[in-house]
């Protein structure tokens, strides 16, 4: 039997003959496609051999006296050894090491036999060349992140399903009540060949499996995402300023919708840089007067005396807003996207405004547990994001039957009108949370009593909140209620130990309230999409 190294040396010589012969350029298109397919088979099997080799290296326990594998060859770590031997970078070496951990098989001390790998079916698919390192990590990554909340039995079931998709085989599940004579050629649970899944397909499938197995994992994911969000401008390089950061799924979804609107073939594309002058009209004059009225109200507020139940808008301790600069810039960018999407000059997309669409099942929306989907973004988001989007948008209920057919469509308008928004902006002047000075004209309008629970779209039920405080209202400890049409707030215990309901800021005589008709919503089951023009 030839040594494995001798076999691989012969493979290398054969490949050299193919590459150096110069015959690739003369192949037909069909032959080139076949060549790429065969090369992919070679690459995946070479990756499987590398991973299996690294996985077979035994771990040396501290104090055992045995030199580590990498130390025997003058390297400080396995990563350094792989970088030198495979001529890859640190990221590539790290992916090999991570893949090796997933498919490593330990020896049973009592029997001396091999124990199954952590992902046995995907390991077999790797060895067979059905999946490479990229596909293996894409399939296991989402489930590994939720590993503490996914049991071993569920993980093995996911392993089998993902491996079947990687091989291009799915299981045909026959209805027990179906007529057996309808198609005698198909047996129950018979594998049906199909196209093999790409690593991106496996990643999306794994995310869907996690959403089913770990519906409560949305909350810790939400906390991690809120901490990690941010945007910064880099240093100038070659006359350009790079942008770095991480966006929340709803922010990325809104940005993608705006890009789609501008890049729509039916429009002229994005506008050229420059300034465009347009004639003024009565509407512009009215908006300008509203802005002046807002500034006058703010000046009157600042001059007014404050009593014990009125909270100053300042924050000397700097405790109200603990966001980093990168997080503030991210949130400001999100608010800018919402304003841009509502602008009259924004191109239409499919005959409608560039609308952020978030879909969630009615049951998960009602309970607050589970995951939601943003149109155009593969990464699932949380129910909190769906609630935040629905608060200022339109809920459209789309009912599906068990087979996925649309059986009903409904819509509930919950957007504050321009006149209502203008009145609330004039009354609140800025974000309602004390210490936050984001102008009300930049804020979102929040339903104090949730619309889904019967809260009306009425000025007596709407307050101005900046994107950040609107997005985090349920978890920040701030509470809002309406007192005879005027909003009052109660701060978290660390900010106000007495937890008293207080007026956020004094009202000037120039502020007033207007009324509008209220609407209510009815309950329904099925999948719904919350839409907001922004």
């Amino acid at each position: 039997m030839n040594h494995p190294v001798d076999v691989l040396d012969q493979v290398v010589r054969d490949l050299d003959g193919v590459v150096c012969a110069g015959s690739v350029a003369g192949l037909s298109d069909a032959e080139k496609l076949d060549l790429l397919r065969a090369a992919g088979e070679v690459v995946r099997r070479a990756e499987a051999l590398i991973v299996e080799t690294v996985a077979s290296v035994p771990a040396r326990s501290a104090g055992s006296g045995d030199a580590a594998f990498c130390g025997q060859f003058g390297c400080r770590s396995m990563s350094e050894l792989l970088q030198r031997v495979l001529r890859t970078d640190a990221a590539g070496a790290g992916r090999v090491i991570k893949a090796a951990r997933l498919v490593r098989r330990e020896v049973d001390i009592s029997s001396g036999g091999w124990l199954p790998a952590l992902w046995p079916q995907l390991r077999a698919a790797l060895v067979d060349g059905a999946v490479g390192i990229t596909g293996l990590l894409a399939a296991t990554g989402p489930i590994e992140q939720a590993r503490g909340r996914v049991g071993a039995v569920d993980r093995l079931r996911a392993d089998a399903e993902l491996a079947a998709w990687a091989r291009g085989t799915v299981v045909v599940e026959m209805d027990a009540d179906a007529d057996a004579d309808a198609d005698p050629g198909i047996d129950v649970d018979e594998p049906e060949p199909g196209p093999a899944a790409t690593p991106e397909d496996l990643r999306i499938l794994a995310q869907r499996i996690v959403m089913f197995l770990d519906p409560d994992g949305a909350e810790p994911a939400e906390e991690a995402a809120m901490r990690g969000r941010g945007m910064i401008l880099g240093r100038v390089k070659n006359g350009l300023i790079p942008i770095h950061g991480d966006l929340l799924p709803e922010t990325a979804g809104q940005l993608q919708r705006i890009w789609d609107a501008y890049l729509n073939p039916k429009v002229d594309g994005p506008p050229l840089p420059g300034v465009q002058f347009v004639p003024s009209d009565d509407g512009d004059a009215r908006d300008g007067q509203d802005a002046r009225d807002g500034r006058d109200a703010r000046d009157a507020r600042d001059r007014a005396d404050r009593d014990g139940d009125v909270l100053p808008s300042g924050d000397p301790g700097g405790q109200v807003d603990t966001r980093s600069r990168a997080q503030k810039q991210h949130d400001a960018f999100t608010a800018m996207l919402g304003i841009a999407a509502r602008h009259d000059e924004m191109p239409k997309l499919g005959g409608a405004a560039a609308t952020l669409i978030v879909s969630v099942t009615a049951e998960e929306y009602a309970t607050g547990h589970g995951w939601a989907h943003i149109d155009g973004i593969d990464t699932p988001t949380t129910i909190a994001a769906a609630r935040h989007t629905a608060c200022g948008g339109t809920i459209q209920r789309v009912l599906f039957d068990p087979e996925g057919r649309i059986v009903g469509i409904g819509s509930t308008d919950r957007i504050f009108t321009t006149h209502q928004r203008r009145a609330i902006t004039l009354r609140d002047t800025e974000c309602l949370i004390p210490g936050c000075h984001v102008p009300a004209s930049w804020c979102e309008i929040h339903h104090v009593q949730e619309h889904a629970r019967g809260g009306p779209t009425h000025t007596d039920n709407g307050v101005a909140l900046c994107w950040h405080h609107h997005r985090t209202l349920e978890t920040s400890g701030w509470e809002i209620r309406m007192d005879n049409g005027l909003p009052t707030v109660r701060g978290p215990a660390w900010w106000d130990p007495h937890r008293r309901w207080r007026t956020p800021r004094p009202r000037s005589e120039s502020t007033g309230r207007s009324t509008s008709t209220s609407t209510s919503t009815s309950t329904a089951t099925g999948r719904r999409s919350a839409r907001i023009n922004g």
Side-chain angles (χ1 to χ4, degrees):
M1 180 178 180
N2 294 333
H3 193 277
V5 176
D6 296 333
V7 174
L8 292 181
D9 286 340
Q10 183 60 46
V11 171
V12 171
R13 287 191 292 269
D14 293 340
L15 290 174
D16 286 340
V18 174
V19 176
C20 299
S23 59
V24 175
L27 298 178
S28 66
D29 291 344
E31 291 173 333
K32 289 178 181 178
L33 181 61
D34 286 338
L35 182 61
L36 290 174
R37 178 195 55 77
E41 297 282 352
V42 173
V43 169
R44 289 192 298 274
R45 281 166 173 78
E47 289 182 346
L49 184 59
I50 292 172
V51 171
E52 280 288 289
T53 303
V54 175
S56 66
V57 174
R60 264 65 168 191
S61 60
S64 63
D66 296 332
F69 177 81
C70 55
Q72 298 179 40
F73 304 99
C75 296
R76 294 171 297 177
S77 63
M78 180 62 77
S79 176
E80 180 185 352
L81 185 145
L82 292 177
Q83 291 180 54
R84 296 181 183 277
V85 174
L86 302 180
R87 301 181 189 177
T88 185
D89 58 4
R95 295 173 61 200
V96 171
I97 295 173
K98 185 175 182 180
R101 294 197 189 103
L102 298 174
V103 302
R104 184 191 305 276
R105 293 183 300 168
E106 302 292 346
V107 177
D108 190 347
I109 299 177
S110 59
S111 65
W114 290 104
L115 296 174
L118 185 64
W119 296 87
Q121 297 297 327
L122 281 172
R123 175 192 172 274
L126 177 72
V127 173
D128 294 343
V131 66
I133 293 178
T134 303
L136 175 66
L137 297 181
T140 58
I143 302 176
E144 282 291 308
Q145 292 179 357
R147 185 177 175 186
R149 300 182 298 275
V150 176
V153 175
D154 290 333
R155 177 175 50 78
L156 291 176
R157 291 174 56 193
D159 172 50
E161 184 173 356
L162 290 166
W165 278 90
R167 296 178 184 276
T169 59
V170 295
V171 176
V172 178
E173 295 182 357
M174 298 293 293
D175 189 350
D177 297 331
D179 186 3
D181 297 332
D183 191 353
I186 299 180
D187 296 330
V188 177
D189 296 341
E190 177 185 358
E192 178 181 318
T198 65
E200 184 66 15
D201 295 334
L202 294 174
R203 183 182 66 83
I204 295 174
L205 177 60
Q207 288 177 343
R208 293 175 179 174
I209 292 175
V210 168
M211 292 170 58
F212 176 77
L213 297 179
D214 184 29
D216 296 332
E219 295 182 5
E222 165 82 358
E223 297 175 0
M226 290 298 292
R227 290 194 303 267
R229 77 191 191 283
M231 286 186 64
I232 59 174
L233 295 178
R235 295 184 178 181
V236 179
K237 183 178 181 181
N238 298 327
L240 299 174
I241 301 176
I243 298 179
H244 306 285
D246 297 286
L247 303 179
L248 291 176
E250 61 264 37
T251 302
Q254 183 66 84
L255 180 60
Q256 186 64 58
R257 299 295 286 184
I258 292 177
W259 278 341
D260 292 342
Y262 270 113
L263 300 180
N264 184 356
K266 295 183 179 181
V267 301
D268 296 331
L272 296 174
V275 178
Q276 179 182 5
F277 293 93
V278 295
S280 300
D281 53 21
D282 293 339
D284 293 337
R286 178 65 260 173
D287 291 340
Q289 182 61 42
D290 290 339
R292 288 190 291 273
D293 291 344
R295 289 194 294 270
D296 293 342
R298 191 177 305 173
D299 293 340
R301 179 204 67 210
D302 293 338
R303 291 192 299 267
D305 293 333
R306 294 171 171 81
D307 57 29
D309 288 335
V310 175
L311 300 178
S313 59
D315 180 29
Q319 296 178 319
V320 172
D321 194 347
T322 60
R323 292 174 294 168
S324 66
R325 180 178 179 85
Q327 291 173 338
K328 291 179 181 179
Q329 292 176 167
H330 170 280
D331 298 347
F333 179 70
T334 305
M336 291 159 53
L337 293 178
I339 296 173
R342 295 191 298 267
H343 199 276
D344 294 337
E345 297 182 7
M346 175 63 63
K348 301 298 182 182
L349 187 61
T355 303
L356 176 66
I357 302 177
V358 182
S359 61
V360 61
T361 63
E363 179 182 358
E364 291 176 340
Y365 185 87
T367 61
H369 297 286
W371 300 85
H373 299 269
I374 295 178
D375 187 32
I377 302 297
D378 293 331
T379 303
T381 188
T382 61
I383 301 299
R387 291 185 182 277
H388 170 244
T389 304
C391 185
T394 299
I395 283 186
Q396 179 176 357
R397 293 177 176 85
V398 182
L399 307 182
F400 296 86
D401 66 10
E403 302 300 326
R405 178 188 176 190
I406 298 175
V407 296
I409 300 177
S411 180
T412 302
D413 191 1
R414 58 194 293 150
I415 302 177
F416 287 90
T417 66
T418 301
H419 300 290
Q420 289 175 320
R421 181 182 178 89
R422 184 177 294 146
I424 294 172
T425 298
L426 184 63
R427 181 196 67 199
D428 295 345
T429 71
E430 62 186 20
C431 177
L432 197 69
I433 301 301
C436 182
H437 301 292
V438 175
S441 59
W442 299 0
C443 291
E444 301 174 346
I445 305 302
H446 166 65
H447 285 79
V448 176
Q449 182 182 359
E450 188 178 355
H451 191 279
R453 302 182 184 276
T457 303
H458 191 289
T459 53
D460 284 354
N461 192 44
V463 296
L465 290 178
C466 71
W467 181 91
H468 167 68
H469 286 117
H470 194 188
R471 181 69 166 74
T472 60
L473 185 62
E474 294 186 359
T475 59
S476 62
W478 291 96
E479 300 178 53
I480 302 174
R481 72 179 184 184
M482 303 302 291
D483 184 8
N484 194 26
L486 295 177
T488 57
V489 299
R490 181 164 65 180
W494 60 262
W495 187 78
D496 182 9
H498 300 289
R499 300 298 320 278
R500 297 173 60 183
W501 288 99
R502 304 171 185 268
T503 304
R505 55 185 63 89
R507 307 291 166 187
S508 65
E509 296 180 357
S510 62
T511 58
R513 294 184 294 124
S514 62
T515 60
S516 66
T517 58
S518 62
T519 60
S520 61
T521 181
S522 60
T523 60
T525 60
R527 183 170 295 277
R528 64 176 77 182
S529 296
R531 306 181 176 208
I532 178 173
N533 291 335

